[in-house]
Amino acid sequence: MPVPVLLTNGDQRSALAVARSLHARGVEVIALAPGAQGYASRTRALREVVVAPRSDADPRGFLDAVHDVVRRRGIGLVVPISDEDVLALDAARGGFG
């Protein structure tokens, strides 16, 4: 069975497309979203939506949320959806070992 995947910025349409594609292949998908009203909350392709700050508004809060979900849910892959998410994760990559 594939390891769970975490998508950042679940309120984006591109996150919805990635979630649907992974889900269709039997992958458990979890998404971070800044609120419960975005695309992420409206799809059955996600096992869970975790409310977390956006990386551009609160980088530390975003990274704390990513780290918590990775540790708690056994995430094997984090897929950053936005450029801001890539930059935040890159700046902190040493802390995810």
Side-chain angles (χ1 to χ4, degrees):
M1 181 161 189
V3 295
V5 172
L6 176 65
L7 305 180
T8 65
N9 218 341
D11 61 340
Q12 299 295 314
R13 285 186 295 180
S14 54
L16 179 61
V18 172
R20 287 178 175 168
S21 178
L22 291 171
H23 177 74
R25 288 160 178 78
V27 177
E28 179 182 333
V29 185
I30 298 168
L32 295 180
Q37 308 304 322
Y39 290 107
S41 66
R42 294 179 172 82
T43 181
R44 289 174 279 175
L46 293 173
R47 175 172 172 112
E48 180 182 0
V49 176
V50 177
V51 176
R54 294 177 58 97
S55 62
D56 56 348
D58 180 3
R60 184 75 256 157
F62 167 79
L63 292 170
D64 287 346
V66 169
H67 193 272
D68 180 60
V69 174
V70 165
R71 187 180 63 250
R72 184 173 46 89
R73 302 292 274 148
I75 300 297
L77 175 67
V78 177
V79 179
I81 298 297
S82 72
D83 292 342
E84 293 84 4
D85 298 347
V86 171
L87 293 173
L89 290 167
D90 181 54
R93 74 177 128 158
F96 285 97

